[in-house]
Amino acid sequence: MTLVSGTHGAHGATYRDRGGRRVVDHYGKPERVGKAVRNVVGAIEMGYGVLAITGDDRVEFVDNAVSNRVPAEDGQGVYALLLDPQGGIETDMYVYNADERLLVFLPPERAEAVAEDWSEKVFIQDVTVADASDEFGVFGVHGPKSTEKIASVLGGPGAPEKPLSFVRGSMVDAGVTVIATDAPLGEEGYEVVCAAEHAEEVFDTLINRGLNAAPFGYRTWDALSAEAGTPLFEYELEGTVPNVLGLRNALDFEKGCYVGQEVVSRVENQGRPSRRLVGLALDGLADATAEIDGDADPEGYDAVLPTPGAAVFAGDEAVGEVTRAAVGPASGDPIALALVRYDADLDAVTVRVDGDEVAATRSDLPFPSADGSARSARAPTYPDA
């Protein structure tokens, strides 16, 4: 469900499903918009599920469940994971201490299940868990000019500086909360949260008032985050042990036991995981993607690029699989993220696409072409790096 269908329609939105929620795929020119986000600023309606946790024991309750330390003070947030007993990621989330409640932003398909699970685990604690997904509009503002954009429309305090901290202010007549992001697109960024009834007005303000921002959808989000080396739940995270993804910003190795913690600690103590996340420049597809007008026919890339699960080979040996592929907005070249065996020799790499072996080159993450205004806190970091 989108809260701003009028604004989306005015900009020619094409929609898609994301975790059971209707979100914008693109507005007709995703390549041009991707470059606008890389060079100036863009705005996107975020498709989060939102939980509200209240009660005197809320911080301790959530802290005991997740992989990172939940802040006890108002105005602060943290990126964290819920794991299964084998250490696999059940969901990722942002947890914000918003005075007398915690707000949890997570993939929309996980909101109902997490709310039910946590509610069932409340015994004598003073904790109430509610699905508040329909109560809030959440909009991302990303790009090297995002701070200037926020300053041009935010009434009250200045933009927050510390990642995952937030301030409260106003935009036009709407009360808003502005959160400094952890740069998932490899650019400075903020998320603007408002009551659902003010969503249309706030989104219009972000696009058209003050410094203009280009509206963009999840097709551009996926490509920009891939360039930045940011793993996403629907592609890389679900079911994966976090050490494999180098998600050290989501882990507090000093905090007490939580489900899956023993596996995470054991892999950490071994020194390295069995697999790792790498970038691949898809050199063998450069000519094919160059023939496609990604603004006029963005879906044309889907027929050319490898699909999730495509095999990655080092010589004749299968060493991993692609998690997603895109044409990078910064370079205009085809790229992919892949999970591969940690010790694989990637000097001569190919990817299987429609039965053919396509030449590729391993790339650092973030991709060098995406020399943005910030580094994604989720870009993989490994102990030997």
Side-chain angles (χ1 to χ4, degrees):
M1 181 189 72
T2 173
L3 297 175
V4 291
S5 57
T7 303
H8 291 326
H11 287 85
T14 297
Y15 294 93
R16 81 185 205 206
D17 178 83
R18 180 177 179 267
R21 184 162 183 163
R22 189 174 184 241
V23 299
V24 172
D25 185 36
H26 62 84
Y27 294 94
K29 296 181 178 180
E31 281 198 339
R32 184 179 301 180
V33 170
K35 293 183 185 299
V37 178
R38 277 277 175 253
N39 294 311
V40 190
V41 63
I44 179 174
E45 183 185 19
M46 301 301 298
Y48 288 125
V50 182
L51 304 182
I53 319 298
T54 55
D56 290 343
D57 300 323
R58 61 192 180 279
V59 173
E60 180 183 10
F61 178 84
V62 176
D63 187 77
N64 286 338
V66 301
S67 63
N68 216 342
R69 185 72 65 186
V70 174
E73 64 274 18
D74 176 52
Q76 305 296 320
V78 71
Y79 179 64
L81 308 170
L82 270 183
L83 307 180
D84 63 28
Q86 290 73 45
I89 297 172
E90 291 190 342
T91 190
D92 64 337
M93 62 180 66
Y94 291 100
V95 183
Y96 297 104
N97 189 318
D99 198 14
E100 295 185 354
R101 61 183 175 181
L102 299 179
L103 290 179
V104 179
F105 294 0
L106 70 172
E109 65 267 39
R110 298 298 301 144
E112 182 178 356
V114 173
E116 291 179 357
D117 179 60
W118 281 0
S119 295
E120 291 172 358
K121 291 177 178 176
V122 174
F123 297 109
I124 61 172
Q125 301 104 318
D126 181 13
V127 174
T128 300
V129 181
D131 188 337
S133 301
D134 295 336
E135 298 179 18
F136 298 98
V138 185
F139 305 100
V141 179
H142 298 271
K145 297 291 186 181
S146 59
T147 300
E148 183 178 339
K149 169 66 207 186
I150 292 296
S152 72
V153 293
L154 178 63
E161 296 183 5
K162 179 184 175 184
L164 305 186
S165 68
F166 60 86
V167 299
R168 299 175 178 91
S170 62
M171 290 185 181
V172 192
D173 295 324
V176 297
T177 297
V178 178
I179 304 165
T181 72
D182 54 358
L185 305 188
E187 302 290 351
E188 298 174 15
Y190 301 89
E191 288 187 340
V192 178
V193 185
C194 66
E197 60 264 30
H198 299 305
E200 197 85 58
E201 180 182 21
V202 169
F203 193 45
D204 179 73
T205 296
L206 292 174
I207 294 171
N208 296 314
R209 296 177 184 265
L211 177 66
N212 287 354
F216 68 100
Y218 270 92
R219 180 175 292 266
T220 300
W221 175 273
D222 290 347
L224 290 167
S225 60
E227 280 188 326
T230 300
L232 301 179
F233 178 73
E234 58 265 46
Y235 299 111
E236 288 87 25
L237 272 66
E238 186 172 12
T240 306
V241 175
N243 313 65
V244 168
L245 298 164
L247 273 178
R248 303 184 71 80
N249 70 312
L251 304 171
D252 185 334
F253 291 101
E254 303 301 323
K255 76 186 296 279
C257 187
Y258 53 88
V259 173
Q261 185 261 345
E262 290 185 2
V263 176
V264 169
S265 295
R266 184 167 65 248
V267 175
E268 174 72 7
N269 292 334
Q270 289 172 350
R272 67 182 194 184
S274 59
R275 298 181 296 160
R276 67 191 306 165
L277 185 67
V278 301
L280 297 175
L282 301 173
D283 311 313
L285 294 178
D287 290 344
T289 57
E291 294 177 357
I292 298 170
D293 185 338
D295 282 330
D297 180 24
E299 289 81 7
Y301 289 138
D302 300 340
V304 174
L305 294 170
T307 56
V312 177
F313 291 86
D316 295 329
E317 182 182 12
V319 295
E321 61 183 34
V322 167
T323 57
R324 62 179 144 142
V327 171
S331 66
D333 296 325
I335 60 173
L337 297 181
L339 284 170
V340 301
R341 200 178 68 222
Y342 196 94
D343 60 356
D345 182 354
L346 300 180
D347 288 339
V349 184
T350 58
V351 176
R352 181 166 290 167
V353 182
D354 292 332
D356 296 324
E357 306 304 316
V358 173
T361 304
R362 179 184 173 179
S363 173
D364 292 333
L365 292 177
F367 284 87
S369 59
D371 185 18
S373 54
R375 178 182 171 87
S376 170
R378 283 190 258 165
T381 302
Y382 297 97
D384 64 351

